[in-house]
Amino acid sequence: MIKNIKNSRFISIIYAMFFSSFMLPTFAEDEVSKIASDDWYKVSQISDNTYMIEEPQSSQYNISYLIIGSEKALMLDTGSGENKNKSKQKISTVIKSLTDKPITLLLTHFHFDHNANIEEFDNIAFANIKDIRDKAIDDKTYYFSSKELAFGSYPEKTTVHEWIDLDTDIDLGNRIIKVSRVRGHTDDSIIVIDESRELVFTGDTLYNGPLIVIGKENYDPYINTINIMKESFSDSFSFYGAHGNSNLGGKMNYSLLNKVESILRCAKINTCENTEKFSETLSGHRLNGDFFLNDGVSLIYTDIH
């Protein structure tokens, strides 16, 4: 995710339209959330035993999620790591203040701004995707490629303790979730679904902010993913993305799926309401591409590899 687009004459339009279309009630902070929050992390309880962990000061407005069952807990993503130089609080400390259950870390995808605190976790799970698993040495040591990280070289590697099967029931203890593969943002992205609570954790496939398509070949897989999500869920579901902003946090409505499909289709053939070239420095790298705005939703196309 790219938080800021320099010199964009449409940026004020984006947020004015986006906020008016998708503004949702803010969450009342319970006492546990207030205690867990600090100068870097903002913690909100979004459902029973489910927490949204925002990083308002991070360059990408990262958001991680903690899903707790009666036996174990699942942590989704670890943020950009910018807290290391700006706060004494570790994300693992925040998590441990919210639950005493064993914690498994699962990454929604491998980009640099989702795994920077990975070393703080003792049990790391990857989705059981053949292309990923085939690259793991002895089925456990995984070396990240520069393409997977998008920028930078951290982490170099990690130990995979568990491979989570796709589209099967995963019992956290009186709480069933599923992990599904989604293509578009990256080829190995996942979403996590809690059908009983009607929650979908979407990573970078869907979030409050400019979505990113890397390479023209990813438009069609992305459109297909959004259509599958439209068919699989309904407007009773709530969606939570891995990025957000201070007004909306990470929560989204089902109605956003139609708008995302529309902007993907118009960006693919360059017929969106507004288009401009952009150039942004991200983690020391110059990123160039096209910025699209359509019906209050924005998208960035780039080909960084």
Side-chain angles (χ1 to χ4, degrees), residues 4-7 276-281 286-290:
N4 297 310
I5 301 172
K6 296 178 181 177
N7 302 318
E276 70 170 29
K277 294 291 182 181
F278 86 95
S279 183
E280 179 79 8
T281 299
R286 200 67 183 171
L287 190 63
N288 300 306
D290 298 303

Side-chain angles (χ1 to χ4, degrees), residues 108-110 129 132 142 148 181-182 186-190:
T108 60
H109 61 298
F110 297 157
I129 296 172
I132 296 176
Y142 192 88
E148 288 171 329
R181 183 180 188 176
V182 286
T186 68
D187 194 47
D188 51 17
S189 290
I190 61 167

Side-chain angles (χ1 to χ4, degrees), residues 110-255:
F110 297 157
H111 280 173
F112 75 102
D113 53 336
H114 294 261
N115 60 19
N117 296 301
I118 194 171
E119 77 283 354
E120 297 180 28
F121 294 84
D122 297 325
N123 193 65
I124 297 169
F126 279 9
N128 191 5
I129 296 172
K130 186 178 186 302
D131 294 343
I132 296 176
R133 193 162 188 172
D134 286 350
K135 290 191 288 184
I137 299 172
D138 297 328
D139 212 35
K140 64 179 181 179
T141 304
Y142 192 88
Y143 285 84
F144 294 94
S145 68
S146 58
K147 181 177 181 179
E148 288 171 329
L149 296 174
F151 297 103
S153 58
Y154 182 86
E156 176 189 6
K157 63 179 180 178
T158 193
T159 298
V160 184
H161 302 91
E162 181 181 355
W163 295 93
I164 295 181
D165 289 335
L166 299 174
D167 301 313
T168 60
D169 288 349
I170 301 162
D171 192 356
L172 301 178
N174 299 312
R175 185 171 192 178
I176 302 296
I177 62 165
K178 291 183 180 180
V179 175
S180 291
R181 183 180 188 176
V182 286
R183 292 178 169 90
H185 180 69
T186 68
D187 194 47
D188 51 17
S189 290
I190 61 167
I191 61 174
V192 175
I193 306 156
D194 183 338
E195 291 184 352
S196 66
R197 288 171 171 79
E198 297 188 315
L199 301 174
V200 184
F201 302 91
T202 58
D204 275 10
T205 296
L206 194 72
Y207 58 79
N208 293 322
L211 302 175
I212 298 179
V213 174
I214 303 172
K216 293 188 183 341
E217 69 278 6
N218 285 311
Y219 275 120
D220 285 340
Y222 211 145
I223 292 168
N224 186 55
T225 288
I226 296 301
N227 279 323
I228 291 172
M229 291 175 69
K230 286 167 60 178
E231 293 172 0
S232 300
F233 309 117
S234 67
D235 59 8
S236 62
F237 278 77
S238 295
F239 300 82
Y240 288 89
H243 301 283
N245 55 62
S246 58
N247 291 280
L248 297 173
K251 188 177 181 182
M252 299 159 289
N253 285 327
Y254 176 87
S255 60

